[in-house]
Amino acid sequence: MALVNENYLKLPGNYLFAEIARRVSQFKNNNPDADIIRLGIGDVTRPLPAAVIEAMKKGVEEMSREETFRGYGPEQGYSFLIEKIIENDFRPRGVELAGDEVFVSDGAKSDTANFQEILGSGNVVAVTDPVYPVYVDSNVMAGRTGSTDGGRFEGIVYLPCTEENGMKPSLPDKRVDMLYLCFPNNPTGMTLSKEELKKWVDYARENRTVILYDAAYEAYIREDGVPHSIYEVEGAKEVAVEFRSFSKTAGFTGTRCAYTVVPRDVKVYDSTGKAHSLNPLWLRRQTTKFNGVSYPVQAAAAGVFTEEGKRQVRELVDYYMENAGIIREGLTAAGYRLYGGVNAPYIWMKTPGSMGSWEFFDKLMKEAHVIGTPGAGFGASGEGYFRLTAFGSRENTLRAVERIKSRM
Ligand code: MLT
């Protein structure tokens, strides 16, 4: 008799975005003429930059000739891409990394979900609340939690981000072993200054905590003083792993390419207290379970770092940030209380009155035909909030704001 991994039975029925898709498709079936505007899942809508397409085509072309054909690549990623990543994303910010500290992958979602696997099953995990559900769900699957009361899992330390603390979490009041931070934050769109982030790095150094830092939205930072990488903070290379993605930066949600930085100095401990570097453990995991990102896709990702590519990516990000501004201005003028959207493509709004977030989701879908993401889907502290993304087309963003103003 094959037994089930009972940890899976603790999870709510559907993954958040799958549940939203299910509700939208049901509504669409019942209302085939409804002109639905989707500002729910953070999925980009602009085409890939021309420099990326050109690099991808060249990569495909190379695969068609015997002299340039490539079979299995290095599981960790091709050095031509890793070198560009270090040279462009880190060195200008004063961060030096070795090539073997960067691991190219097919997505920050999979990396943030998989990384917990090389950490002890008895570790205490802390997350901000609201939080990107992947961090929690992957730890539930791994058995690091008890059951849920519907909003929170037993055994996880939740760090609330509320209006009272300006959506910025406080340090845990107990020792935690694994700490997930995402800045610019998904879903609140908020950021931490370098001084604020330093407190977390100091906490981790004092407590031998590993910080799992998701910086997938760093390209959206507009303000000075907001770190793009946790490694801009002194000491972070001893305690933090950083997840980055080409998805939101360069439109790769459907193309799939990301990378994770695992500095050699980040240590974890065995039961005798002996220290082990995380870097070779992640390499061991990846070389066993992952065969790398396809050559044309890595070639396309390298296209992001050409002069043309950098300019086109900036334009892409500017486009979405203009959408963020349109949502912020329009809804603020209509009386909504909003967070985010300044250094991030997400706008976190308080639902009107005391409406629950799923109730607001249904109402907005039915009356305005606009889809967002209910805050409660990101955790208990998200109840009473709603997330809109700036990743729609300009036209749809303008129409969605008008509909929310006039129909809600
Ligand atoms: C989101 O909407 O939160 C993101 O698109 C999810 C993801 O990147 O996996």
Side-chain angles (χ1 to χ4, degrees):
M1 177 172 67
L3 298 178
V4 65
N5 173 354
E6 291 196 21
N7 296 314
Y8 273 70
L9 307 179
K10 298 174 193 162
L11 290 164
N14 287 330
Y15 176 61
L16 172 62
F17 294 105
E19 174 57 21
I20 292 173
R22 189 192 66 76
R23 290 190 189 211
V24 176
S25 127
Q26 193 176 48
F27 179 75
K28 189 85 183 135
N29 282 343
N30 297 336
N31 303 274
D33 296 332
D35 170 23
I36 291 177
I37 300 176
R38 293 168 200 263
L39 301 183
I41 190 164
D43 193 6
V44 295
T45 52
R46 308 292 299 155
L48 288 168
V52 167
I53 293 291
E54 209 176 295
M56 190 190 283
K57 278 187 185 161
K58 194 162 163 283
V60 171
E61 197 48 45
E62 287 174 41
M63 295 298 266
S64 73
R65 290 194 305 272
E66 204 173 327
E67 319 82 76
T68 46
F69 169 79
R70 300 183 190 225
Y72 289 128
E75 292 91 343
Q76 196 174 343
Y78 285 103
S79 56
F80 68 78
L81 177 56
I82 292 174
E83 279 159 20
K84 292 278 173 228
I85 288 170
I86 295 173
E87 185 185 312
N88 289 280
D89 286 353
F90 294 96
R91 195 161 296 144
R93 303 196 178 279
V95 178
E96 270 310 320
L97 294 171
D100 63 3
E101 292 178 311
V102 177
F103 296 76
V104 175
S105 77
D106 67 344
K109 177 183 185 175
S110 32
D111 280 1
T112 53
N114 291 331
F115 207 88
Q116 51 74 32
E117 203 180 296
I118 60 169
L119 295 160
S121 55
N123 281 341
V124 176
V125 175
V127 295
T128 58
D129 176 16
V131 66
Y132 179 43
V134 170
Y135 317 149
V136 172
D137 289 4
S138 56
N139 278 287
V140 173
M141 291 169 178
R144 284 194 192 88
T145 74
S147 54
T148 175
D149 60 5
R152 293 185 157 178
F153 283 90
E154 216 184 310
I156 288 195
V157 174
Y158 289 91
L159 308 169
C161 299
T162 59
E163 288 197 280
E164 289 67 46
N165 61 20
M167 300 291 164
K168 297 190 180 195
S170 304
L171 291 173
D173 54 13
K174 58 183 278 202
R175 212 182 58 78
V176 303
D177 307 303
M178 292 159 61
L179 170 64
Y180 289 84
L181 294 178
C182 172
F183 290 104
N185 188 257
N186 178 12
T188 66
M190 298 298 278
T191 50
L192 293 186
S193 67
K194 199 162 166 182
E195 293 68 39
E196 287 167 330
L197 190 55
K198 183 167 185 320
K199 288 189 204 144
W200 294 87
V201 170
D202 291 345
Y203 169 91
R205 291 172 85 187
E206 274 157 34
N207 292 282
R208 297 184 175 185
T209 306
V210 170
I211 298 179
L212 299 154
Y213 193 76
D214 187 345
Y217 301 95
E218 65 76 32
Y220 290 82
I221 295 171
R222 290 300 153 105
E223 293 180 321
D224 294 337
V226 179
H228 288 243
S229 165
I230 193 167
Y231 305 121
E232 290 175 50
V233 175
E234 198 201 325
K237 273 167 87 179
E238 292 164 29
V239 289
V241 170
E242 181 165 300
F243 303 96
R244 292 278 192 109
S245 173
F246 293 96
S247 284
K248 315 299 160 97
T249 311
F252 274 60
T253 52
T255 306
R256 310 308 305 151
C257 197
Y259 65 89
T260 290
V261 179
V262 191
R264 288 192 212 118
D265 288 346
V266 183
K267 299 281 189 320
V268 280
Y269 302 85
D270 66 23
S271 51
T272 69
K274 185 170 169 241
H276 300 264
S277 171
L278 262 186
N279 178 291
L281 298 174
W282 184 241
L283 179 66
R284 185 71 176 83
R285 192 267 174 209
Q286 291 297 79
T287 45
T288 304
K289 296 195 174 185
F290 183 60
N291 255 342
V293 176
S294 74
Y295 174 69
V297 169
Q298 290 193 63
V304 167
F305 299 113
T306 58
E307 282 315 309
E308 276 296 280
K310 286 191 241 184
R311 190 179 52 73
Q312 291 162 2
V313 162
R314 248 192 323 271
E315 283 168 8
L316 199 59
V317 171
D318 284 349
Y319 176 93
Y320 292 130
M321 285 309 285
E322 276 167 39
N323 284 351
I326 288 167
I327 299 173
R328 275 182 65 87
E329 277 161 39
L331 298 188
T332 304
Y336 285 93
R337 269 212 316 280
L338 308 175
Y339 291 87
V342 175
N343 293 305
Y346 293 126
I347 291 93
W348 188 239
M349 60 191 264
K350 186 96 190 77
T351 58
S354 52
M355 206 183 294
S357 13
W358 279 105
E359 193 190 340
F360 186 72
F361 171 89
D362 284 330
K363 192 169 154 62
L364 195 63
M365 177 169 69
K366 287 178 188 147
E367 293 174 21
H369 299 170
V370 172
I371 309 301
T373 308
F378 296 101
S381 298
E383 183 53 284
Y385 291 89
F386 199 73
R387 194 194 76 175
L388 292 171
T389 98
F391 289 125
S393 67
R394 177 63 39 80
E395 190 196 353
N396 277 347
T397 303
L398 288 164
R399 288 163 69 224
V401 170
E402 278 319 305
R403 286 192 199 171
I404 297 172
K405 279 160 88 170
S406 62
R407 300 191 199 173
M408 299 302 289

